[in-house]
């Protein structure tokens, strides 16, 4: 039988998870914007807006320590970080464009060399996704093969119903375990009719066709025409659920400090600058081209996945109005 | 430390010796501090590592010493940025971090029984020096060995002591050169750009492998010369020296099209390079 949870019980679930000392992260009003933030109570959860930034940082923090070093009695000592201290976490209330991103990033983070910082957080996290009823004109998840009701990436998937409750579907064992551990909050039954999902104007793009065009048009006037206006601010990458470029730097003195991994962006002018001064991607349109190529060709070549969830955040955030969905539609129509 | 599953954790090494190659290029000879690492560390010619100066971060260099020389590794770098300048300030006895070896390598076994032509420019000799010594240590397995090496000026030639050693060996042909205007009064090499000097030296392409490393502009003008000399794209090898950070295919920095230099390279044949998107 399908299971139902009322909105109050969903908030009660958060209260219980917080009491169990789990890190519960979900959309929360923070000042004037909604962000994914740690929830201290069920009442913190905001379900009527798409958070400004993606939920990626729960698994892949903006900045994290990857080792510490200290000189003791003249000898340098390097210490690993204790990943066993990473908390058991529940991401709750993520729409498919956010819930789906770790399922995409798992590929690069577990490929050959394993990034245990990311993977340990993934192992210790449960994602409660929610069908999206709050998108806007910038949303284009359908265009890249997701949908407002896509379960991909969610462990437990909630569908908002017209009576204010949620239909629940345990997608993975983690989702089943979450329901089983709090069975009293869930009721069996079909429930009311679902609320209407976001009505997106975009149609599903032919990603195979787009990839083929990208393969054949590395040099194309499109890049200069569209992408030269990019100012290289990196907002699109920092706000994206799927971008994963990073840098590594030390913070501290030569005797005592930490080494940190932190987000970077291929749109930044110095991202590929060689020590010699030679820069393979020396102008902005080449850097923007790389962004599109990485998402719709290179990642697919390597991992068989598109590195975009169609959340539309890059469109909303771009200070010069670059619209990735529009570019894809242009390519799709060629 | 080395048993950790943290792929970003370096091994510690002590600087055993320092050689100033030019006013701004330095070689560090490094010995791993952990006895087990010292004994078990192995690599293949062409592979690179991430070297860290604690407090500043990491830089990527090829391992410049030969895999046939055990007990230590060497890196050679030009002091151009924050990390390299901090590495340069370190002294004998100081500690650096080393992650690696990473990347692919020159298929030296496939070169057995062939002649070799090494062509390098400026600070790009180190990635070939590892192969040169590897092959010289196995000298019987190769036929003729020619080294064409040039730099902007006499002062910019690295490994001067080894150039002299190669020059004096009768089983190596060394052609060294400097750009016009770069020679001092006593310079005993040629004056001219590497591609031109290579064409004059005219090594035979028959049963020969060419290994080229240098700035992109040098490679661009060297490949047509090799073609004129009769080398095929499958017999020309180079290394791409892209900027890297993680070294293990995660950070998204070193790609040339869908090729990740840190994982698919850094060693490529000319055929592979020509098939790439021209973004390097």
């Amino acid at each position: 039988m399908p299971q139902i949870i009322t909105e109050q019980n969903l908030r009660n679930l958060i209260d219980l998870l917080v009491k169990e000392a789990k890190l519960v992260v979900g959309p929360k009003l923070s000042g004037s914007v909604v962000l994914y933030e740690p929830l201290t109570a069920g009442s913190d959860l905001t379900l009527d807006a798409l958070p400004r930034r993606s939920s990626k940082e729960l698994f892949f923090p903006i900045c994290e320590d990857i080792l510490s070093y200290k000189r003791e009695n003249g000898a340098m000592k390097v210490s690993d970080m204790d990943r066993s201290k990473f908390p058991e976490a529940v991401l709750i209330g993520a729409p498919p464009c956010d819930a789906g991103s770790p399922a995409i990033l798992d590929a690069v983070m577990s490929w050959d060399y394993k990034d245990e910082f990311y993977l340990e957080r993934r192992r210790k996290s449960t994602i409660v996704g929610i069908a999206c009823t709050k998108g806007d004109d910038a949303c284009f998840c359908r265009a890249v093969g997701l949908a407002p009701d896509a379960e991909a990436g969610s462990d437990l998937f909630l569908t908002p119903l017209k009576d204010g409750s949620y239909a629940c579907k345990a997608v993975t064992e983690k989702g089943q375990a979450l329901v089983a551990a709090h069975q009293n909050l869930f009721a069996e039954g079909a429930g009311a009719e679902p609320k209407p999902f976001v009505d997106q104007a975009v149609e599903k793009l032919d990603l195979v066709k787009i990839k083929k065009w990208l393969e054949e048009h590395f040099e194309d006037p499109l890049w200069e025409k569209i992408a030269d206006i990019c100012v290289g601010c990196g907002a699109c990458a920092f706000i994206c659920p799927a971008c994963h470029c990073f840098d590594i730097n030390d913070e501290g003195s030569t005797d005592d400090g930490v080494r940190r991994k932190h987000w970077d962006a291929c749109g930044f002018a110095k991202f590929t600058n060689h020590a010699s001064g030679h820069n393979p991607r020396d102008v902005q349109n080449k850097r923007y081209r790389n962004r599109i190529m990485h998402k719709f060709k290179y990642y697919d070549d390597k991992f068989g996945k598109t590195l975009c969830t169609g959340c539309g955040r890059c469109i909303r955030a771009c200070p010069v109005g670059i619209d990735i969905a529009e570019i894809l539609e242009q390519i799709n129509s060629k | 430390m080395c048993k950790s599953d943290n792929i970003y954790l370096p091994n510690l090494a002590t600087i055993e010796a320092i050689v100033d190659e030019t006013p701004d290029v330095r070689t560090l000879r490094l010995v791993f501090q952990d006895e087990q690492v010292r004994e078990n560390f192995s690599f293949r010619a062409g592979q690179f590592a991430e070297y860290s100066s604690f407090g500043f971060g990491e830089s990527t260099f090829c391992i410049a010493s030969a895999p046939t020389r055990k007990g230590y590794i060497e890196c050679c770098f030009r002091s151009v940025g924050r990390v390299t300048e901090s590495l340069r300030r370190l002294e004998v006895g100081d500690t650096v971090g080393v992650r690696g070896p990473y990347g692919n390598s020159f298929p030296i076994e496939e070169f057995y029984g062939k002649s070799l032509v090494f062509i390098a420019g400026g600070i790009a000799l180190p990635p070939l020096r590892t192969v040169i010594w590897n092959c010289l240590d196995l000298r019987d397995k190769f036929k003729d060995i020619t080294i064409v090496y040039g730099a902007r000026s006499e002062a910019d030639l690295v490994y001067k002591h080894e150039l002299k050693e190669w020059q004096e060996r009768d089983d190596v042909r060394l052609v060294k050169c400097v750009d016009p205007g770069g020679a001092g009064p006593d310079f005993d090499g040629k004056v001219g750009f590497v591609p031109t000097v290579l064409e004059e030296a005219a090594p035979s392409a028959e049963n020969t492998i060419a290994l080229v490393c240098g700035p992109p502009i040098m490679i661009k003008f060297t490949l047509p010369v090799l073609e004129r000399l009769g080398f095929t794209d499958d017999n020309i090898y180079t290394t791409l020296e892209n900027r890297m950070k993680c070294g293990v295919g995660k950070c998204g920095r070193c790609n040339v099209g869908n090729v990740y230099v840190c994982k698919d390279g850094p060693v490529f044949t000319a055929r592979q390079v020509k098939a790439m998107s021209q973004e390097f």
Side-chain angles (χ1 to χ4, degrees):
Chain A
M1 280 287 279
Q3 299 220 291
I4 302 295
I5 189 168
T6 62
E7 182 174 329
Q8 186 52 54
N9 273 350
L10 183 61
R11 294 183 190 279
N12 293 343
L13 174 64
I14 293 170
D15 289 335
L16 285 171
L17 293 169
V18 169
K19 270 189 198 153
E20 290 168 17
K22 291 204 168 61
L23 170 65
V24 185
V25 171
K28 180 183 174 185
L29 189 64
S30 177
S32 61
V33 295
V34 174
L35 299 171
Y36 287 104
E37 293 214 329
L39 307 177
T40 52
S43 55
D44 284 348
L45 185 69
T46 301
L47 284 164
D48 55 0
L50 183 73
R52 179 76 62 88
R53 301 203 307 257
S54 85
S55 55
K56 169 181 74 180
E57 54 200 273
L58 174 62
F59 314 99
F60 177 27
I62 294 173
C63 183
E64 73 176 324
D65 296 351
I66 53 174
L67 61 87
S68 65
Y69 60 90
K70 193 174 178 61
R71 199 180 301 278
E72 289 173 348
N73 304 320
M76 186 61 77
K77 189 169 178 284
V78 171
S79 304
D80 197 357
M81 292 296 146
D82 187 357
R83 286 178 293 286
S84 69
K85 287 184 180 156
F86 288 178
E88 296 279 341
V90 180
L91 171 64
I92 201 155
C97 57
D98 284 333
S101 82
I104 296 170
L105 291 176
D106 288 350
V108 65
M109 294 302 183
S110 61
W111 169 63
D112 197 358
Y113 292 84
K114 302 198 179 336
D115 186 316
E116 287 297 329
F117 291 91
Y118 172 89
L119 294 174
E120 182 66 3
R121 286 194 174 88
R122 283 286 282 136
R123 282 190 282 270
K124 287 186 167 171
S125 68
T126 301
I127 298 177
V128 180
I130 187 165
C132 186
T133 55
K134 53 185 178 290
D136 63 21
D137 288 352
C139 292
F140 64 104
C141 68
R142 280 195 195 283
V144 295
L146 280 172
D149 59 343
E151 297 162 0
S154 291
D155 296 303
L156 179 66
F157 192 70
L158 307 179
T159 304
L161 304 176
K162 280 186 173 168
D163 66 0
S165 62
Y166 297 86
C168 310
K169 182 178 175 190
V171 183
T172 68
E173 285 181 8
K174 279 183 181 176
Q176 284 168 8
L178 184 67
V179 173
H182 304 91
Q183 191 61 61
N184 59 323
L185 298 176
F186 296 84
E188 287 191 349
E193 204 181 321
K195 274 189 188 171
F197 303 133
V198 180
D199 185 19
Q200 291 179 18
V202 295
E203 291 299 316
K204 183 169 177 357
L205 294 168
D206 185 345
L207 296 174
V208 174
K209 182 182 172 187
I210 289 173
K211 189 181 165 202
K212 189 162 189 300
W213 188 91
L214 292 172
E215 274 165 5
E216 293 167 356
H217 294 82
F218 189 77
E219 300 292 346
D220 192 275
L222 175 92
W223 302 119
E224 283 178 43
K225 193 173 141 202
I226 292 177
D228 251 353
I229 64 167
C230 172
V231 292
C233 68
C236 53
F238 276 63
I239 215 156
C240 173
C243 277
H244 61 83
C245 294
F246 62 85
D247 200 354
I248 299 172
N249 279 297
D250 286 5
E251 269 190 41
S253 69
T254 53
D255 291 338
D256 189 2
V258 290
R259 180 156 296 166
R260 288 183 162 167
K261 187 169 80 161
H262 54 86
W263 292 358
D264 206 343
C266 65
F268 290 156
K270 299 283 186 185
F271 188 69
T272 52
N273 201 36
H274 291 195
S276 64
H278 170 70
N279 192 346
R281 297 204 279 267
D282 54 350
V283 293
Q284 201 59 36
N285 69 59
K286 289 184 185 174
R287 300 192 271 273
Y288 192 80
R289 174 179 63 190
N290 183 70
R291 176 174 166 77
I292 301 271
M293 289 277 184
H294 190 189
K295 289 189 173 298
F296 298 95
K297 174 174 157 47
Y298 305 153
Y299 204 81
D300 187 77
D301 280 343
K302 218 158 200 63
F303 304 116
K305 292 169 191 281
T306 297
L307 194 66
C308 172
T309 65
C311 72
R313 287 189 178 88
C314 57
I315 300 169
R316 294 180 203 104
C318 182
V320 295
I322 295 178
D323 185 330
I324 194 172
E326 203 177 290
I327 294 172
L328 293 171
E329 277 167 18
Q330 265 194 51
I331 295 173
N332 197 47
S333 65
K334 280 177 190 284
Chain B
M1 182 178 61
C2 49
K3 290 193 182 80
S4 169
D5 57 4
N6 179 352
I7 55 174
Y8 305 107
L9 209 59
N11 289 303
L12 297 179
T14 303
I15 300 175
E16 193 188 58
I18 293 173
V19 178
D20 280 323
E21 306 290 352
T22 75
D24 61 356
V25 175
R26 174 168 278 194
T27 294
L28 303 180
R29 177 174 290 206
L30 305 169
V31 176
F32 289 108
Q33 291 173 1
D34 183 283
E35 196 179 331
Q36 266 196 323
V37 176
R38 197 159 60 235
E39 280 172 16
N40 296 335
F41 186 88
S42 67
F43 69 101
R44 292 178 53 86
Q47 290 191 291
F48 66 93
E50 296 288 340
Y51 301 83
S52 48
S53 169
F54 293 101
F56 294 90
E58 295 184 308
S59 261
T60 314
F61 317 121
C62 68
I63 301 175
S65 51
T68 40
R69 312 277 171 103
K70 304 287 185 193
Y72 66 90
I73 61 168
E74 286 179 339
C75 67
C76 179
F77 59 92
R78 174 175 283 154
S79 184
V80 286
R82 219 171 74 92
V83 177
T84 46
E85 276 171 20
S86 72
L87 280 168
R88 188 178 162 75
R89 283 197 293 272
L90 298 177
E91 295 171 354
V92 169
D94 282 343
T95 296
V96 300
V98 181
R99 283 196 290 132
Y102 295 135
N104 72 350
S105 56
F106 291 95
I108 287 177
E109 289 82 2
E110 291 175 25
F111 303 160
Y112 287 176
K114 297 177 190 286
S115 294
L116 303 172
V117 180
F118 296 94
I119 305 143
I123 181 69
L125 184 57
L128 293 188
R129 181 217 190 204
T130 175
V131 196
I132 291 172
W133 279 119
N134 192 159
C135 294
L136 289 178
D137 287 343
L138 306 168
R139 188 63 189 87
D140 294 348
K141 296 189 183 294
F142 306 96
K143 294 193 166 143
D144 297 342
I145 292 183
T146 305
I147 301 167
V148 179
Y149 173 52
R152 278 174 303 183
S153 74
E154 212 176 327
D156 290 312
L157 293 165
V158 299
Y159 300 124
K160 290 187 183 68
H161 48 299
E162 293 182 5
L163 296 178
K164 189 165 181 291
E165 192 178 337
W166 295 337
Q167 202 158 16
E168 284 167 359
R169 285 176 72 134
D170 55 12
D171 59 353
V172 175
R173 178 187 178 206
L174 174 74
V175 183
K176 68 179 179 190
C177 62
V178 294
D179 291 354
D186 301 323
F187 183 58
D188 58 350
K190 294 186 176 297
V191 174
F193 296 105
V194 167
T196 317
V197 171
L198 169 70
E199 193 149 26
E200 284 168 8
S204 165
E206 197 190 333
N207 193 30
T208 304
I209 297 291
L211 302 93
V212 192
C213 202
I217 188 81
M218 187 205 91
I219 292 180
K220 186 182 166 192
F221 286 103
T222 298
L223 292 181
V225 172
L226 285 170
E227 202 173 313
R228 284 199 289 279
L229 290 170
F231 286 86
T232 64
D233 288 346
D234 290 324
N235 287 334
I236 302 170
Y237 287 79
T238 189
T239 70
L240 293 184
E241 304 294 318
N242 282 38
R243 185 164 181 180
M244 299 177 195
K245 190 52 86 161
C246 72
V248 290
K250 311 271 178 251
C251 78
R253 191 176 305 269
C254 68
N255 71 299
V256 180
N258 61 2
V259 171
Y260 276 69
V261 175
C262 71
K263 291 290 299 164
D264 303 320
V267 176
F268 298 96
T269 63
R271 180 179 300 282
Q272 290 169 320
V273 170
K274 284 179 181 175
M276 289 176 195
S277 53
Q278 297 300 297
E279 198 181 50
F280 50 86

